Structure formats: C-alpha cells, structure tokens
Amino acid sequence: DAGVTQSPTHLIKTRGQQVTLRCSPKSGHDTVSWYQQALGQGPQFIFQYYEEEERQRGNFPDRFSGHQFPNYSSELNVNALLLGDSALYLCASSSPFESGYTFGSGTRLTVV
Amino acid sequence: GESVGLHLPTLSVQEGDNSIINCAYSNSASDYFIWYKQESGKGPQFIIDIRSNMDKRQGQRVTVLLNKTVKHLSLQIAATQPGDSAVYFCAENPSYAGGTSYGKLTFGQGTILTVHP
C-alpha cells in the first residue's frame, strides 16, 4: 500500500513564476494538509482540504492556493514566487478512522 | 499565539544508551500531541502520539510522557541505535476531536539526535 506520494521531488523556478505541486494521499485517507518546511525549521501549516474544500488555513498569503479533487488528491499552487518561498513542501494525509497524519517525502522547491 | 518549542537543539548519545528529547508547548488547549522522526531528504515519520487525557504512552522502544501542569512533553528512546539518528519534532493539535483528524499541527523547531556507534 503506497503511502503519501508527492510530485515532483525537486523543482527549480524563477522569481515571479507560478508553481503547482501535487499530492496523492494514503489509501483510505480523505483529508490532505500542506506544510512548508524551511531549512532547519519545523514544518509550518499552510492549509487543509476536506471534501474538496479548504477547511483551515495557516498564516500564508493568498499567493498560496490549493485544490482537492474527488479522488482526494490535492494540488498546491504558489503564484508570484519569491526567493523566500524556497523550501520543502510537505503533504500530509489523514483519516477519521486512523490516528495521526502520514507525511509524504515532500517537494524541494528552489526559487532563483 | 501557539508555539511548541524544544529545550535542546542537539543531543549526542552512545549506541545502547537511553535518549530523552524534551518539548515545551504553550497552548493549554492542545488536545493531541505527536512525535515525528525526520531523516535527511524524507518527510516526517510518525513515532508515537498521546491524547491530553493520558500522561504516558509506550510503544516499541519509545515512551512519550505528557505533563499538562507544566505543558511539557518528552520522548524517551530505549537502547538508542545508530538508525535512530535523525531530527525529532514534537507537534501539537489543539483541534483534534475524537477520531477526527482535523486542523493543523504546530511543530517545534526540532532536536537533532546523533547516535555514535
């Protein structure tokens, strides 16, 4: 059984560009959360999706947006990239029938 | 605001020793806590969790202790092995309701555990 799958694994973008990151949750999980992890820091919550709607949001600007599809997979979009957006972006999935959150290996985004 | 912090940013131990990693949290409303292990280039890996109605929970070689009076959490690893070397994070969720995984996790900055053979 595959866990959380994220793509791509690495990405290099130029300032001002837009990027889309993808996440497939663990089988049986219906809730997807996105986190940003800067080097040497703990993950910071961006937002959570459930039933194709944003259920909760952290302190991130509107440049960060997302989507959840009927199959529970999710996308994270970041517009007008800044150098400070360089980070590891983690997707976590969860289920009401299972405790904890399962994380993917992340997408390493570098903005130059 | 909410915050979860760690007392020790680094911890070095010898193989076979017991390790203790500490964590302080500031949100007294937090109901659910998780310890994660993160190896280089990987996402956080679930180790053990504990609800606020418990003060101790044991897993395989790991024990989590929760002291709500002083808002302190610790992870004990017995017979530490080189494969335990990683960054350890505690995380809290103030909106975990029953079996529903809802809301954000707030992570601390992490403790780097190094195990010497």
Side-chain angles (χ1 to χ4, degrees):
Chain A
D1 177 28
V4 176
T5 304
Q6 292 188 242
S7 64
T9 55
H10 296 83
L11 201 53
I12 300 175
K13 288 287 189 178
T14 304
R15 276 180 299 174
Q17 285 188 314
Q18 178 265 345
V19 68
T20 297
L21 310 181
R22 295 176 175 81
C23 171
S24 292
K26 181 180 176 181
S27 178
H29 286 189
D30 59 3
T31 303
V32 173
S33 304
W34 287 92
Y35 290 79
Q36 180 194 67
Q37 186 176 23
L39 200 61
Q41 303 290 322
Q44 298 290 316
F45 177 79
I46 303 175
F47 41 53
Q48 184 179 78
Y49 277 84
Y50 173 71
E51 293 188 337
E52 302 179 50
E53 292 190 356
E54 183 182 291
R55 183 160 67 174
Q56 192 172 6
R57 188 179 183 92
N59 296 325
F60 280 80
D62 292 344
R63 298 188 295 110
F64 290 77
S65 63
H67 189 78
Q68 185 179 34
F69 299 93
N71 66 352
Y72 308 122
S73 67
S74 178
E75 290 182 347
L76 165 65
N77 301 293
V78 187
N79 294 324
L81 285 167
L82 303 174
L83 295 179
D85 294 332
S86 295
L88 179 68
Y89 288 85
L90 294 162
C91 173
S93 69
S94 53
S95 161
F97 308 108
E98 187 178 318
S99 63
Y101 301 77
T102 302
F103 281 82
S105 294
T107 294
R108 173 70 62 186
L109 173 65
T110 302
V111 182
V112 297
Chain B
E2 303 167 3
S3 68
V4 177
L6 296 174
H7 296 303
L8 299 175
T10 61
L11 178 64
S12 291
V13 300
Q14 290 296 126
E15 182 178 1
D17 288 351
N18 296 332
S19 302
I20 299 177
I21 301 172
N22 296 301
C23 174
Y25 64 94
S26 60
N27 189 346
S28 57
S30 290
D31 181 61
Y32 180 57
F33 305 88
I34 309 175
W35 280 101
Y36 284 96
K37 171 187 180 183
Q38 188 172 26
E39 296 173 285
S40 181
K42 298 183 179 180
Q45 177 187 354
F46 175 92
I47 300 172
I48 192 168
D49 59 359
I50 188 168
R51 295 291 307 276
S52 60
N53 60 354
M54 303 172 69
D55 54 20
K56 180 179 180 179
R57 191 163 188 223
Q58 289 183 292
Q60 187 176 15
R61 286 201 304 118
V62 295
T63 301
V64 55
L65 299 177
L66 175 63
N67 186 330
K68 295 180 288 295
T69 302
V70 295
K71 292 184 284 188
H72 183 266
L73 196 66
S74 69
L75 176 70
Q76 300 177 2
I77 305 173
T80 316
Q81 303 167 0
D84 295 327
S85 295
V87 180
Y88 288 80
F89 293 98
C90 66
E92 62 169 331
N93 184 338
S95 51
Y96 188 90
T100 301
S101 51
Y102 171 85
K104 68 177 184 180
L105 290 175
T106 299
F107 283 81
Q109 195 165 7
T111 292
I112 301 172
L113 175 65
T114 302
V115 183
H116 301 284

